[in-house]
Amino acid sequence: MVQFGIQIEPQFGFDYNTIRELAFQCEASGFDSIWLSDHLFLDSNSQDRNCLDCWTTLAALAAETTTIRLGPLVSCVSYRHPSIMAKIAATVDVISNGRLEFGIGAGWKELEYKAYGIPFPSARDRVSQFIEAIQVIQAMWTQDLPTFEGHYYQITNAFLAPKPIQKPYPPLWVGGAGSRVLQTAARFADGININGFQTPAQYRERLDILERHCKAVGREFSSIKLSHFIPIVTAENATGLDRLVEIEARRTGTTPTEYREKTQAFVGTPEDCVNYIKAYTALGVSQFMLLFPYRYEADSIRLLSEQVLPYV
């Protein structure tokens, strides 16, 4: 079964009421999930631009929604000690009555790290921290008196109550495309979000690497859920699509022609969207996280629910 979620970027300037209304709309429109990025601000010129905290917002949505699943895409391991992250996530799972999808990644946005005084180690060290953090979090979710002695993180009898409602714990998604991240997914993850705006051919290459890592650890490759994140720019007709492209081009400081040539977003009609999505479902992708143009999310959700979701 193919499932669809929408991605919200709080760093774009959302207020909470808008996010809440989009979550309600998704619940009523056939979308199965809503995902929030975990950032502290958009860029160095964002002093007056809203950027709500990912996990605080997820907790609020958990209390106000009833059926839609909720998660970070993805939570940055550097921003919270993994023992605290385990407790926050367990709390959100409890508040939502077992609707949390837990996405975690190694972190990358150096500008945020420096601004907030968070050490920014090498990519290799960040991935190593990420690997240890997953083990700490899973131990705290499943063990009565978890203890972990790693190079980066240590806990001693770090009991956690209440435990998550979902057993053995909420679905754990790993975000990334590098070989070590894929190896980590093979060892620990329930799902993988292969990022980097991969084409179907590139996605297939990443899956081949993931499958090799699964074989190395004795895991069934088919037991890992596959997802795809993509910005989608679509409208009911060519005129509407041209208008959205103009808006996105202006936002990114390009011409409409340059935007169409250079964007990593998918630009097309609803029919084009159906064909695009089918190229990934043919690879085994069963979860899509769709990002729509800022302030045009409600229209995009309606259009996708009517003209795309029923046909894939």
Side-chain angles (χ1 to χ4, degrees):
M1 178 180 176
V2 181
Q3 297 176 312
F4 291 89
I6 71 162
Q7 169 81 354
I8 295 292
E9 294 284 339
Q11 61 183 331
F12 286 178
F14 285 92
D15 60 73
Y16 175 69
N17 286 337
T18 299
I19 295 177
R20 178 183 59 187
E21 290 305 314
L22 291 173
F24 292 160
Q25 184 184 4
C26 284
E27 277 194 317
S29 301
F31 286 80
D32 78 291
S33 54
I34 185 166
W35 307 76
L36 273 62
S37 66
D38 186 19
H39 287 296
L40 307 175
F41 55 82
L42 180 62
D43 56 34
S44 57
N45 298 313
S46 296
Q47 296 92 331
D48 299 319
R49 188 195 306 266
N50 286 355
C51 183
L52 296 172
D53 173 69
C54 171
W55 279 99
T56 310
T57 305
L58 286 172
L61 292 175
E64 296 208 69
T65 57
T66 55
T67 59
I68 199 162
R69 297 188 67 80
L70 310 158
L73 191 68
V74 285
S75 189
C76 177
V77 71
S78 308
Y79 294 167
R80 306 160 194 87
H81 193 282
S83 59
I84 302 301
M85 185 70 268
K87 192 166 189 68
I88 292 170
T91 300
V92 172
D93 197 52
V94 169
I95 293 171
S96 68
N97 195 29
R99 290 184 286 125
L100 177 66
E101 300 279 331
F102 182 76
I104 187 169
W108 62 272
K109 198 170 180 180
E110 185 176 5
L111 182 66
E112 291 179 328
Y113 282 72
K114 288 185 174 180
Y116 275 63
I118 301 168
F120 186 72
S122 68
R124 180 174 183 82
D125 282 343
R126 293 199 310 277
V127 173
S128 296
Q129 290 173 339
F130 158 76
I131 294 169
E132 284 194 9
I134 291 173
Q135 295 174 78
V136 170
I137 291 166
Q138 288 182 334
M140 292 194 65
W141 283 344
T142 58
Q143 298 175 22
D144 291 335
L145 295 171
T147 294
F148 181 86
E149 187 67 33
H151 179 75
Y152 301 97
Y153 303 115
Q154 301 82 39
I155 57 172
T156 304
N157 294 336
F159 51 84
L160 186 156
K163 292 280 197 281
I165 287 180
Q166 298 179 87
K167 303 302 179 188
Y169 42 73
L172 191 147
W173 292 84
V174 164
S179 182
R180 287 184 73 205
V181 172
L182 297 175
Q183 183 182 42
T184 304
R187 292 176 61 194
F188 301 114
D190 299 295
I192 177 77
N193 185 259
I194 298 177
N195 62 13
F197 307 103
Q198 309 280 329
T199 66
Q202 292 168 330
Y203 199 103
R204 177 71 265 175
E205 291 175 359
R206 296 293 95 189
L207 291 184
D208 290 341
I209 296 171
L210 176 61
E211 189 166 14
R212 289 198 294 271
H213 286 311
C214 285
K215 288 180 180 178
V217 298
R219 181 174 181 182
E220 287 292 331
F221 171 68
S222 61
S223 68
I224 299 179
K225 191 173 181 179
L226 308 178
S227 70
H228 181 52
F229 163 78
I230 187 68
I232 294 279
V233 179
T234 189
E236 293 192 44
N237 53 50
T239 300
L241 189 58
D242 287 344
R243 183 172 66 90
L244 270 184
V245 167
E246 288 178 5
I247 291 168
E248 290 297 280
R250 192 160 54 246
R251 182 183 64 81
T252 56
T254 62
T255 68
T257 298
E258 289 171 338
Y259 179 81
R260 286 180 181 269
E261 291 175 348
K262 298 178 181 179
T263 184
Q264 293 175 313
F266 177 79
V267 180
T269 65
E271 183 179 359
D272 295 331
C273 290
V274 170
N275 293 330
Y276 174 83
I277 289 166
K278 285 183 175 179
Y280 290 89
T281 59
L283 297 174
V285 175
S286 60
Q287 174 73 59
F288 291 85
M289 294 83 158
L290 308 179
L291 176 67
F292 301 125
Y294 179 51
R295 294 180 175 169
Y296 292 86
E297 292 86 3
D299 288 343
S300 299
I301 291 169
R302 178 191 57 77
L303 185 60
L304 268 287
S305 68
E306 294 174 354
Q307 299 189 31
V308 176
L309 271 61
Y311 303 102
V312 293

